[in-house]
Amino acid sequence: MVKENLLIVENRIEEACKRRGRDRSEVTLIAVSKTKPADMIREAYQSGIRDFGENKVQEICDKYEQLPDDIRWHMIGHLQRNKVKQVIDKAVLIHSVDSVRLAEQIEEEAAKKGICVDILLEVNVADEESKFGFRLEETEQAIRDISVFPHISIKGLMTIAPFVENSEQNRPVFKELNQFYVDMQRKNIDNVNMNMLSMGMTGDYEIAIEEGATLVRVGTGIFGTRYKIGENEV
Ligand SMILES: *Cc1c(COP(=O)(O)O)cnc(C)c1O
């Protein structure tokens, strides 16, 4: 099933690229494997996927041990400061930096390990109360504040668009973040070299690609529905 789903997703990504005259190589598909077992991840791996997204530190650590070394793990969920230490040398990219304090913690732990950590700043474009992330108006200042940290490299921006019935409703959100991203690139802030825009999930990745996404995070469309444990969607 994973293999078949991947063919469908791949085809849709190619079509979305074509519609905007983009090269397929400009977009990386991240298979969001949170809550899914190692066997399903192996199936995606066998189809050629190397980028996987997880939203819990413990889960990345467990899967990191069990699965092939050349997998690139992406941390896409809210990150607590006390878990930074465990994840920074396992994830290739942290998409979900949502406060300067969190960045400070990453800086401190990265310095101890002598590594440089690639991050994206999460932006709450639609200003939803239930969501983490910087408000768009505060993002430039956050970029400037974080850019001075020697063990962090800001690679771009990430957003989780609102849950909507019709994915077209999210087009303005993606457009707005892309506009801001281009503005930030033009400002040439010291130590900031932004070339990644992480936006689009199962419901709206084609639209996100049309609006400039370079990383799309697709879970359900590849691995099927996630089951609910208790009241919380996991
Ligand atoms: C779960 C998750 C996804 C994938 O969602 P789907 O709708 O299943 O594709 C993408 N991004 C983030 C941040 C997530 O937590």
Side-chain angles (χ1 to χ4, degrees), residues 32 34 54-55 76-78 95-96 122 158-160 198 200-203 205 216-222 224 226 233-234:
V32 176
K34 62 191 186 196
E54 291 285 342
N55 67 343
I76 62 173
H78 176 63
H95 293 229
S96 43
E122 179 172 353
M158 179 272 235
T159 197
I160 303 174
S198 171
M201 313 186 1
T202 295
Y205 65 93
V216 291
R217 311 176 308 265
V218 180
T220 314
I222 296 171
R226 287 179 296 275
E233 205 239 357
V234 290

Side-chain angles (χ1 to χ4, degrees), residues 168-218:
E168 273 297 332
Q169 291 171 260
N170 278 334
R171 190 181 293 280
V173 170
F174 298 140
K175 262 193 207 300
E176 195 174 3
L177 191 63
N178 189 23
Q179 181 69 59
F180 177 77
Y181 167 76
V182 171
D183 285 350
M184 289 301 110
Q185 286 176 323
R186 292 204 181 113
K187 290 200 174 179
N188 266 324
I189 300 170
D190 276 352
N191 293 319
V192 179
N193 193 357
M194 299 210 301
N195 55 18
M196 293 182 187
L197 190 54
S198 171
M199 54 187 198
M201 313 186 1
T202 295
D204 53 22
Y205 65 93
E206 293 155 272
I207 291 178
I209 290 169
E210 288 173 11
E211 300 306 332
T214 71
L215 298 162
V216 291
R217 311 176 308 265
V218 180

Side-chain angles (χ1 to χ4, degrees), residues 47-194:
S47 295
I49 300 292
R50 293 294 177 270
D51 293 89
F52 290 89
E54 291 285 342
N55 67 343
K56 293 208 166 71
V57 170
Q58 190 56 50
E59 212 172 328
I60 291 197
C61 293
D62 293 345
K63 289 175 174 171
Y64 182 89
E65 290 300 321
Q66 291 176 45
L67 288 153
D69 286 347
D70 61 342
I71 287 183
R72 293 183 289 269
W73 295 103
H74 294 255
M75 175 59 188
I76 62 173
H78 176 63
L79 178 57
Q80 288 168 302
R81 288 186 305 137
N82 62 359
K83 304 214 169 128
V84 163
K85 188 183 180 160
Q86 291 164 266
V87 81
I88 51 170
D89 52 1
K90 299 186 182 72
V92 291
L93 183 66
I94 298 174
H95 293 229
S96 43
V97 174
D98 54 13
S99 71
V100 175
R101 282 182 78 205
L102 173 61
E104 275 167 5
Q105 187 73 34
I106 295 171
E107 168 60 27
E108 193 179 316
E109 297 296 342
K112 281 189 209 158
K113 292 190 203 256
I115 59 175
C116 183
V117 178
D118 290 345
I119 67 160
L120 306 179
L121 267 60
E122 179 172 353
V123 186
N124 183 358
V125 181
D127 218 344
E128 292 175 281
E129 243 173 68
S130 60
K131 291 233 167 88
F132 292 105
F134 295 100
R135 283 180 296 125
L136 203 51
E137 315 81 73
E138 58 187 15
T139 305
E140 179 172 352
Q141 189 57 52
I143 292 171
R144 291 183 185 280
D145 292 345
I146 297 170
S147 69
V148 302
F149 295 148
H151 299 87
I152 292 183
S153 177
I154 300 176
K155 297 293 181 192
L157 305 171
M158 179 272 235
T159 197
I160 303 174
F163 179 77
V164 288
E165 287 294 321
N166 173 358
S167 55
E168 273 297 332
Q169 291 171 260
N170 278 334
R171 190 181 293 280
V173 170
F174 298 140
K175 262 193 207 300
E176 195 174 3
L177 191 63
N178 189 23
Q179 181 69 59
F180 177 77
Y181 167 76
V182 171
D183 285 350
M184 289 301 110
Q185 286 176 323
R186 292 204 181 113
K187 290 200 174 179
N188 266 324
I189 300 170
D190 276 352
N191 293 319
V192 179
N193 193 357
M194 299 210 301

